[in-house]
């Protein structure tokens, strides 16, 4: 016993083959359950996130300093997720494949450990049983289970290293001890239970390496206390090694406590009901959980991904029959401990090391010393199952050595390995999607409201709101005081546009919240997720303009219960903007920024506030801050580019173009990005480029009003009026009342097509839509003049002048028409007016088309605020949703003049009108 044996290539190949055969179908599974928070929602995986954040945040990407943090500090595991992301982003196959590889590595290293305590055949049996055991599916097939796999590799490596610390003649070899301490630290940075290997090393040193038994140790201690003997030198050496181990462990514990900032995580009573129960229910339940875990190892037929809430009812009385199971478990465990510590021999040493592997790594998850956020978790049995497999293999060896039981033992072993492998293969399919996972859990346990909620979430993600609602309602019936379940019902009713029912559900959830007492702090009592009931209810009722103050009161109520509730400030800021109170909105966002200066969305929303306050310079600064924190913030890219474009500063245009180009790379299906690139190109007089971008926008969104009009306008400005006509036809087919489009079409029909009738139809349509449209009215007067109906033209111009009495060009045109009528009345022959009149006529007609040339460019801007309306009982971070609203700013005067210069065709038209007015 204790001699290091190598693993042969055949043995390694056998284990890898068995692992591959059991877990190949895990490659077809997606990201489910906790994977969503740890992988999909975790910004620490993104290459843009600084590496130091991995060592400042918890496993889920939440800063360790925040109260909502789970305090799970596993930076090295997150680092492997980040490497996966680097190579395949969010392709689940690579994540599952790496888990499969790590499980294979654990099996091989475990075989090497087994060979220290078992013969070769029994070691292979133990390793095979470990490789196929169905309890491991959560650790291997669930991506977040990688923490167990990585920690186990370094856990076992640390132990193997320590076994080499005993030199010839019982001397101390310090190098393996140093390596052990390093590997313990690495294992702990993968998952907290890694530190428990130190306890196993201590037991190994005393009872295996030194060969002591408990009676010998007690006898030596008694002799020393009586002064009849001194401590043997070998024992002193052992003590020295143990002191070094303990001291380094203490250092690790101190560092770990510093990392969690001396705060234990805050869990709700639903996560672990026994943790908040009074005595003796608390102690009886926690002790009963030990035989429950042992039974899962012994009979893994009914596996469940979530054992929280009402899965295991509390053991509230000493008379509860389940206490028999607890008593039996402790009797069996006690007898094994007595056997292993009292008697010398290889068998007792094997049993002792198996017990150490079962008991010590399980202690952090046992609830016996501090509460954890679950009742039972199959993944935490990954390392304890190693000890279980060693015990089973050792027992099998004893049976198979007896000739009578040899055949039966082989048959039983084959049956166990085969059935376990099949169960594992079948169980992997449960992890294919969230729906399959939680439905499989409901077959095992129908008393857990969280499972009903999570099936509802899975259906909700598929937009199957009707079915989701049934599961959420069932959750409220299973656990009537579950605030999250009522919130889920409310949100689903909202998605089904049943506002009244949604409000009723939110009000029930709100009634379950602690009542507000002035001056009372609720930080430890109210879970941030539950406070979302105020946010969701306020978001619902603020759709009614008459209830905005009521919504604001709800936001303030949430803030009074938790002054550090960031989302309440964000949502309140959005509401205050809607209430046209930008200064108060600014205060709300600045308060939120005090709580979190690294939130790009907050800087973005503050920029929107500054736009409302007509402070574009400060708005641009805040957009830039948002982009410093998140260079791919799409809305900040888009709106900051528009702000730069609208500033009129030509120096900012190149940067605006770069941001829009980056935006369309991130959002290739958003026509707005291409449209605004087209507008920038028009500003830079790059007509060909502008045409390309506008066409791309229209290709993505054929009814894009602004893109259609501006492309037509671009053609008209570049002497391609006939190309503009089909574009205008499309525009007016989608938007028959588009006044500017009608004016532009009428102008082209008159100028290019000489289609007076078509132009007249356009201008008459404008006056149907808006009888007081001066531009349309005046152009219709010109049509009458074209038709030589001077009386009608005069009447028309009189009416137009009444609409715009201060427009000189209308007055001049009226004078010309009246002069023409008078001269026609006086004599039958026409006379040419003098140069001054001709100049006046030309200028007047130029002005008659001036409005047409001043057609305002329609351009999109965006106003966005963050809205968190998804609070639920599922263990996920709140999501921030963005909505876009478009507005229309104007072209500058300088740009209008530039456009006028390009209107060669219009000037030609003026010459013709001048000729008509002069009566050629």
């Amino acid at each position: 016993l204790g001699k290091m044996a190598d693993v042969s290539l055949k043995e390694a190949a056998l284990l890898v083959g068995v692992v591959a055969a059991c877990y190949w179908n895990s490659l077809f599974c997606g990201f489910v359950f906790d994977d969503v928070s740890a992988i999909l929602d975790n910004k620490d995986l993104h290459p843009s996130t600084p590496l130091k954040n991995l060592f400042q945040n918890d496993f889920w990407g939440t800063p360790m300093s925040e109260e909502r943090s789970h305090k799970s500090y596993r930076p090295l595991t997150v680092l492997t997720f980040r490497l996966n992301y680097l190579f395949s982003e969010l392709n689940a196959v690579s994540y599952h494949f790496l888990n499969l590889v790590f499980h294979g590595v654990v099996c091989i290293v475990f075989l090497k450990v087994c060979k220290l305590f078992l013969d070769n055949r029994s070691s292979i049996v133990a390793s095979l049983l470990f490789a196929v055991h169905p309890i491991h599916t959560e650790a291997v097939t669930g991506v977040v289970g990688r923490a167990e796999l990585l920690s186990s590799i370094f856990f076992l490596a640390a132990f193997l290293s320590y076994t080499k610390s005993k030199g010839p003649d019982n001397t101390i070899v310090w190098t393996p001890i140093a390596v052990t301490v390093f590997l313990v630290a690495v294992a702990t940075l993968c998952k907290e239970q890694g530190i428990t290997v130190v306890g196993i090393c201590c037991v190994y040193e005393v009872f295996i390496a030194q060969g002591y038994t408990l009676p010998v140790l007690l006898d030596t201690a008694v002799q020393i206390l009586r002064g009849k003997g001194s401590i043997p030198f070998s024992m002193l050496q052992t003590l020295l090694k143990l002191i070094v181990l303990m001291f380094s462990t203490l250092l690790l514990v101190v560092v770990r406590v510093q990392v969690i900032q001396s705060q234990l995580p805050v869990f709700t009573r639903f996560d672990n009901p026994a943790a908040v129960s009074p005595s003796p229910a608390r102690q009886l339940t926690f002790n009963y959980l030990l035989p429950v875990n042992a039974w899962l190892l012994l009979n893994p037929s009914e596996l469940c991904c979530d054992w929280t809430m009402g899965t295991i009812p509390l053991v509230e009385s000493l008379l509860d029959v389940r206490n028999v199971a607890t008593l039996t478990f402790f009797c069996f465990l006690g007898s094994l401990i007595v056997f292993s510590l009292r008697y010398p021999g290889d068998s007792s040493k094997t049993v002792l090391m198996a017990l150490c592997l079962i008991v010590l790594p399980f202690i952090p998850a046992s609830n016996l010393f501090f509460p954890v956020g679950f009742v039972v978790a199959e993944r935490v049995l990954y390392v304890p199952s190693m000890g279980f497999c060693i015990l089973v293999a050792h027992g099998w060896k004893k049976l198979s050595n007896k000739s009578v039981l040899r055949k039966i033992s082989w048959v039983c072993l084959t049956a166990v390995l085969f059935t376990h492998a099949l169960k594992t293969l079948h169980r992997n399919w449960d992890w294919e999607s969230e729906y399959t996972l939680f439905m499989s859990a409901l077959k095992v346990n129908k008393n857990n409201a969280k499972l009903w909620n999570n099936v509802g979430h899975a259906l909700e993600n598929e937009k199957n709101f009707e079915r989701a609602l049934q599961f959420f309602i069932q959750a409220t019936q299973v656990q009537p005081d579950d605030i999250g379940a009522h919130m889920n019902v409310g949100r689903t009713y909202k998605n089904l546009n049943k506002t009244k029912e949604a409000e009723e559900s939110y009000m029930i959830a709100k009634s379950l919240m602690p009542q507000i007492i002035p001056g009372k702090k609720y930080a430890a009592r109210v879970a941030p997720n539950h406070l979302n009931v105020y946010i969701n209810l306020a978001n619902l009722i603020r759709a009614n303009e008459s209830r905005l103050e009521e919504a604001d009161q709800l936001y303030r109520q949430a803030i009074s219960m938790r002054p550090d509730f960031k989302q309440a400030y964000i949502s309140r800021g959005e509401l205050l903007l809607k209430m046209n109170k930008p200064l108060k909105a600014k205060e709300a966002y600045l308060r939120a920024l005090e709580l979190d200066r690294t939130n790009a969305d907050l800087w973005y929303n503050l920029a929107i506030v500054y736009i409302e306050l007509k402070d574009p310079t400060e708005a641009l600064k805040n957009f830039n801050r948002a982009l410093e924190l998140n260079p791919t913030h799409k809305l900040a890219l888009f709106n900051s580019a528009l702000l730069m474009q609208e500033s009129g500063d030509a120096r900012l245009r190149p940067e605006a173009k770069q941001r829009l180009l980056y935006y369309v790379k991130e959002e290739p299906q958003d026509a707005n990005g291409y449209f605004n690139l087209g507008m920038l190109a028009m500003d830079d007089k790059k007509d060909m480029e502008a045409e390309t971008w506008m066409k791309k926008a229209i290709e993505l969104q054929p009814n894009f009003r602004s893109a259609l009009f501006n492309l037509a306008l671009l053609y008209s400005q570049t002497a391609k009026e006939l190309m503009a006509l089909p574009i205008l036809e499309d525009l007016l087919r989608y938007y028959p009342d588009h006044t500017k489009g009608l004016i532009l079409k009428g102008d082209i029909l008159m100028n290019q097509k000489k289609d007076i009738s078509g132009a007249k139809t356009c201008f008459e349509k404008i006056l149907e839509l808006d009888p007081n449209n001066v531009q349309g009215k005046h152009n219709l007067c010109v049509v009458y003049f074209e038709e030589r109906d001077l009386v009608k033209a005069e009447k028309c111009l009189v009416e137009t002048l009444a609409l715009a009495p201060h427009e000189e060009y209308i007055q001049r045109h009226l004078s010309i028409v009246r002069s023409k009528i008078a001269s026609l009345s006086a004599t039958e022959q026409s006379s040419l007016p003098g140069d001054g009149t001709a100049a006046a006529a030309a200028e007047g007609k130029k002005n008659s088309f001036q409005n047409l040339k001043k057609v305002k460019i329609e351009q999109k801007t965006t106003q966005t605020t963050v809205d968190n309306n998804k609070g639920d009982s599922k263990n996920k971070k709140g999501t921030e949703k963005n909505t876009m609203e478009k507005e229309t700013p104007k072209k500058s005067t300088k740009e209008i003049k530039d456009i006028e210069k390009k209107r060669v065709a219009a000037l030609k038209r003026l010459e013709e009108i001048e000729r008509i007015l002069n009566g050629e």
Side-chain angles (χ1 to χ4, degrees):
L1 185 72
K3 186 182 176 184
M4 182 73 73
D6 290 326
V7 176
S8 71
L9 193 62
K10 283 183 181 178
E11 290 166 342
L14 172 67
L15 287 174
V16 169
V18 169
V19 168
C22 287
Y23 286 99
W24 64 268
N25 58 338
S26 69
L27 300 178
F28 300 98
C29 299
F31 294 116
V32 296
F33 202 22
D34 289 339
D35 297 348
V36 176
S37 299
I39 311 293
L40 300 183
D41 298 340
N42 192 346
K43 290 179 181 176
D44 287 350
L45 270 63
H46 302 167
S48 57
T49 304
L51 269 174
K52 64 175 184 180
N53 284 26
L54 271 65
F55 295 90
Q56 294 171 347
N57 297 344
D58 67 13
F59 188 50
W60 317 96
T62 307
M64 293 293 286
S65 56
E66 290 192 14
E67 186 204 338
R68 64 193 176 99
S69 167
H70 281 212
K71 311 299 181 188
S72 314
Y73 189 65
R74 303 161 193 172
L76 296 185
T77 305
V78 179
L79 186 62
T80 65
F81 292 150
R82 189 172 169 127
L83 289 171
N84 271 120
Y85 188 92
L86 193 65
F87 287 107
S88 65
E89 292 199 347
L90 294 175
N91 179 4
V93 175
S94 76
Y95 294 80
H96 287 294
F97 178 73
L98 204 53
N99 272 24
L100 194 153
V101 169
F102 285 144
H103 182 52
V105 172
V106 174
C107 292
I108 293 167
V109 181
F110 177 57
L111 174 58
K112 193 158 185 164
V113 171
C114 289
K115 289 190 176 190
L116 292 170
F117 312 110
L118 295 168
D119 61 35
N120 201 52
R121 191 172 64 182
S122 302
S123 297
I124 293 170
V125 167
S127 300
L128 284 174
L129 183 57
F130 180 79
V132 303
H133 204 297
I135 202 75
H136 300 155
T137 48
E138 184 170 334
V140 182
T141 311
V143 178
V144 294
R146 186 177 299 176
E148 313 290 337
L149 308 176
L150 279 173
S151 181
S152 299
I153 291 171
F154 296 109
F155 178 101
L156 295 174
F159 176 69
L160 285 172
S161 174
Y162 187 79
T163 60
K164 299 173 185 175
S165 66
K166 181 181 174 183
D169 301 322
N170 209 21
T171 54
I172 301 173
V173 185
W174 289 107
T175 305
I177 294 176
V179 172
T180 297
V181 171
F182 172 75
L183 290 171
V184 169
V186 173
T188 307
L189 290 174
C190 294
K191 193 178 180 189
E192 298 77 3
Q193 70 185 29
I195 203 167
T196 58
V197 73
V198 173
I200 294 171
C201 290
C202 291
V203 173
Y204 174 84
E205 177 65 34
V206 174
F207 296 101
I208 312 298
Q210 300 303 326
Y212 296 122
T213 59
L214 197 59
V216 170
L217 287 174
L218 290 172
D219 187 52
T220 307
V222 169
Q223 293 295 328
I224 292 166
L225 288 171
R226 288 179 176 175
K228 291 183 178 179
S230 59
I231 302 174
F233 180 70
S234 62
M235 196 173 282
L236 284 172
Q237 282 190 311
T238 302
L239 278 173
L240 181 61
K241 287 170 81 173
L242 296 185
I243 288 167
V244 169
L245 268 182
M246 291 300 182
F247 181 72
S248 42
T249 307
L250 189 64
L251 270 179
L252 278 174
V253 170
V254 168
V255 170
R256 184 70 176 82
V257 169
Q258 286 295 313
V259 165
I260 66 169
Q261 302 186 1
S262 304
Q263 291 179 329
L264 282 174
V266 176
F267 299 112
T268 69
R269 63 190 177 84
F270 299 119
D271 293 326
N272 190 347
V276 293
S277 300
S279 297
R282 176 185 172 124
Q283 289 75 20
L284 290 174
T285 305
F286 282 157
N287 282 295
Y288 171 66
L289 294 180
L290 301 176
V292 169
N293 280 284
W295 181 248
L296 284 173
L297 287 173
L298 199 61
N299 176 30
S301 59
E302 292 192 331
L303 300 177
C304 180
C305 62
D306 192 309
W307 295 79
T308 56
M309 292 189 136
T311 305
I312 297 174
L314 295 173
V315 181
E316 297 181 289
S317 164
L318 288 168
L319 299 176
D320 193 309
V321 71
R322 289 174 293 174
N323 289 319
V324 175
T326 308
L327 198 61
T328 306
F329 170 78
F330 277 111
C331 288
F332 182 69
L333 184 68
S335 61
L336 284 177
I337 291 170
V338 169
F339 168 76
S340 61
L341 291 177
R342 187 169 183 179
Y343 302 106
D346 289 352
S347 182
S348 60
K349 289 176 180 178
T350 301
V351 171
L352 178 63
M353 292 314 297
L355 288 175
C356 284
L357 278 168
I358 292 172
V359 174
L360 295 179
F362 186 73
I363 285 174
S366 66
N367 283 291
L368 296 176
F369 296 99
F370 49 84
V372 292
F374 53 82
V375 179
V376 172
E378 290 161 17
R379 62 179 175 271
V380 303
L381 293 172
Y382 189 77
V383 177
S385 69
M386 294 177 185
F388 171 77
C389 292
I390 290 174
L391 271 184
V392 172
H394 183 58
W396 173 83
K397 174 190 166 187
K398 296 280 187 190
L399 290 174
S400 64
N401 284 342
K402 295 179 180 179
S403 55
V404 182
L405 300 172
R406 184 173 295 135
K407 285 186 179 179
I408 295 174
S409 66
W410 275 102
V411 169
C412 290
L413 175 67
T414 307
V416 167
L417 290 175
F418 183 70
T419 53
H420 277 43
L422 276 183
K423 173 66 178 176
T424 298
L425 197 65
H426 181 261
R427 175 66 175 156
N428 287 335
W429 289 121
D430 290 341
W431 289 79
E432 186 178 12
S433 69
E434 295 217 314
Y435 179 75
T436 55
L437 179 65
F438 297 126
M439 284 301 287
S440 72
L442 280 176
K443 290 174 187 173
V444 175
N445 166 34
K446 291 181 169 57
N447 296 322
N448 185 342
K450 196 172 176 182
L451 292 174
W452 293 99
N453 278 318
N454 286 346
V455 175
H457 287 305
L459 291 166
E460 187 180 34
N461 291 336
E462 295 170 5
K463 308 296 181 192
N464 191 344
F465 298 122
E466 292 285 358
R467 276 199 72 205
L469 183 62
Q470 295 170 14
F471 282 90
F472 289 142
I473 289 173
Q474 183 64 36
T476 63
Q477 291 169 356
V478 170
Q479 190 85 40
D481 58 347
D482 181 8
I483 295 170
H486 291 287
M487 287 166 66
N488 293 336
V489 172
R491 189 181 61 257
T492 311
Y493 273 130
K494 184 185 175 185
N495 288 330
L496 291 167
N497 296 316
K498 296 182 177 180
T499 311
K500 184 184 174 186
E501 290 89 342
E503 186 173 345
E504 286 171 1
S505 295
Y506 284 140
M507 290 302 290
I508 293 171
K510 182 170 171 278
S511 69
L512 293 168
M513 295 289 287
Q515 297 305 304
I516 294 175
I517 304 167
K520 176 80 173 177
K521 189 180 179 184
Y522 286 88
R525 289 180 60 192
V526 184
N529 277 350
H530 288 169
L531 276 174
N532 279 326
V533 68
Y534 295 100
I535 307 299
N536 291 358
L537 183 55
N539 290 346
L540 181 73
I541 66 175
R542 77 180 190 194
N544 184 338
E545 293 289 332
S546 65
R547 300 181 72 184
L548 297 183
E549 287 293 344
E550 189 181 340
D552 189 34
Q553 177 62 34
L554 284 164
Y555 291 135
R556 282 183 281 143
Q557 199 170 340
I559 290 167
S560 72
M561 294 183 81
R562 279 190 69 111
D564 63 343
F565 189 26
K566 179 180 65 180
Q567 190 56 49
Y569 293 105
I570 294 171
S571 298
R572 185 165 184 246
E574 179 190 352
L575 178 70
L576 290 167
L577 269 179
K578 188 175 181 180
M579 294 169 75
N580 203 22
K581 296 179 181 178
L583 286 172
K584 285 192 173 181
K586 178 182 165 185
E587 285 176 21
Y589 287 132
L590 287 174
R591 179 72 185 91
L593 280 168
E594 287 175 20
L595 298 168
D596 182 7
R597 296 190 70 79
T598 62
N599 188 322
D601 288 317
L602 277 174
W603 291 107
Y604 172 81
N605 285 4
L606 190 57
I608 297 300
V609 171
Y610 279 114
I611 288 175
E612 291 293 316
L613 292 170
K614 307 290 188 290
D615 190 347
T617 307
E618 202 61 35
L620 191 55
K621 282 181 188 174
N622 285 285
F623 279 138
N624 290 340
R625 281 187 190 133
L627 289 168
E628 283 169 19
L629 291 165
N630 180 7
T632 62
H633 196 295
K634 295 170 190 173
L635 292 169
L637 283 167
F638 184 81
N639 289 314
S640 61
L642 293 191
L643 208 56
M644 290 173 177
Q645 184 184 358
E646 289 164 19
S647 70
D649 187 344
R651 293 169 299 177
L652 293 176
R653 283 182 197 155
E655 177 61 22
K657 183 178 178 181
Q658 287 305 310
R659 291 187 183 188
L660 284 171
L661 285 170
Y662 197 85
Y663 176 77
V664 296
K665 182 183 173 187
E666 293 288 311
E667 287 286 337
Q669 296 304 309
D670 186 2
N672 289 299
Y674 300 102
F675 167 72
N676 284 289
L677 278 166
M679 296 306 301
L680 267 178
M682 285 178 75
D683 291 344
D684 287 334
K685 313 296 184 295
K686 296 177 180 175
D687 299 329
M688 296 281 286
E689 187 182 328
E691 181 184 350
T692 304
W693 291 125
M694 291 294 183
K695 282 181 174 177
K696 179 68 176 173
I698 293 164
E699 180 188 328
L700 288 169
Q701 188 180 327
N703 65 340
F704 197 153
R705 177 184 173 121
S706 302
L708 287 164
F709 176 73
N710 282 291
L711 180 58
L713 186 64
L714 177 67
Y715 283 143
S716 74
Q717 291 169 359
T718 52
K720 297 178 183 175
E721 286 90 344
L722 295 180
M723 290 177 70
L725 272 179
I727 305 296
L728 287 167
E729 293 291 349
D730 287 343
L731 173 68
L732 294 168
R733 187 171 73 253
Y734 290 117
Y735 308 101
D737 57 350
H738 196 292
T739 306
K740 294 167 193 169
L742 287 165
I743 289 171
L744 186 56
K745 183 183 176 185
D747 177 39
I748 293 170
L749 289 174
M750 280 178 65
N751 285 345
Q752 303 299 319
K753 302 282 283 184
K754 310 300 180 189
D755 182 357
I756 306 300
S757 173
K760 185 177 182 181
T761 303
C762 289
F763 299 138
E764 285 175 343
K765 173 72 173 173
I766 292 166
L767 294 176
E768 281 178 29
L769 297 167
D770 179 11
N772 296 326
N773 188 297
V774 175
Q775 198 175 346
K777 185 87 171 171
H778 179 269
N779 287 5
L780 186 61
C781 300
V782 175
V783 169
Y784 293 149
F785 200 89
E786 288 271 12
E787 294 174 340
R788 309 290 172 152
D789 191 339
L790 298 180
V791 176
K792 206 166 186 180
E794 180 193 21
K795 183 185 176 188
C796 177
L797 284 166
V798 168
E799 291 171 358
T800 309
L801 189 61
L803 293 173
H806 302 297
E807 292 289 354
E808 286 185 37
Y809 73 91
I810 300 175
Q811 293 173 0
R812 284 200 299 273
H813 287 186
L814 182 57
S815 298
I816 291 167
V817 171
R818 282 175 173 168
S819 172
K820 181 69 175 171
I821 291 170
S823 75
L824 282 174
S825 301
T827 174
E828 287 296 318
Q829 56 181 352
S830 62
S831 60
L832 288 170
D835 290 344
T837 312
E843 187 182 344
K845 190 56 196 172
K846 182 175 180 179
N847 282 330
S848 77
F849 281 90
Q850 191 173 21
N851 285 343
L852 181 57
K853 288 171 253 170
K854 284 188 181 179
V855 169
K856 297 178 179 92
I857 305 301
E858 297 178 41
Q859 189 167 311
K860 301 282 182 179
T861 61
T862 307
Q863 179 175 319
T864 310
T865 47
V866 176
D867 176 21
N868 181 341
N869 64 352
K870 190 173 183 178
D872 54 49
S873 66
K874 193 176 181 185
N875 184 19
K876 290 185 180 178
K877 310 293 180 283
T879 55
E880 295 178 336
K881 297 188 177 179
N882 296 308
T883 55
M884 300 177 72
E885 300 172 7
K886 314 296 182 191
E887 295 178 356
T888 310
K890 311 329 190 240
K891 277 278 187 187
S892 68
T893 307
K894 180 179 179 299
E895 289 167 321
I896 293 166
K897 287 179 181 176
D898 289 339
I899 293 168
E900 287 177 11
K901 289 175 186 175
K902 298 169 80 174
R903 296 300 306 277
V904 178
L907 291 174
K908 288 180 181 177
R909 176 68 189 145
L910 294 181
E911 291 170 8
E912 188 175 338
I913 293 296
E914 181 185 342
R915 179 179 58 75
I916 295 166
L917 289 171
N918 286 322
E920 280 186 11

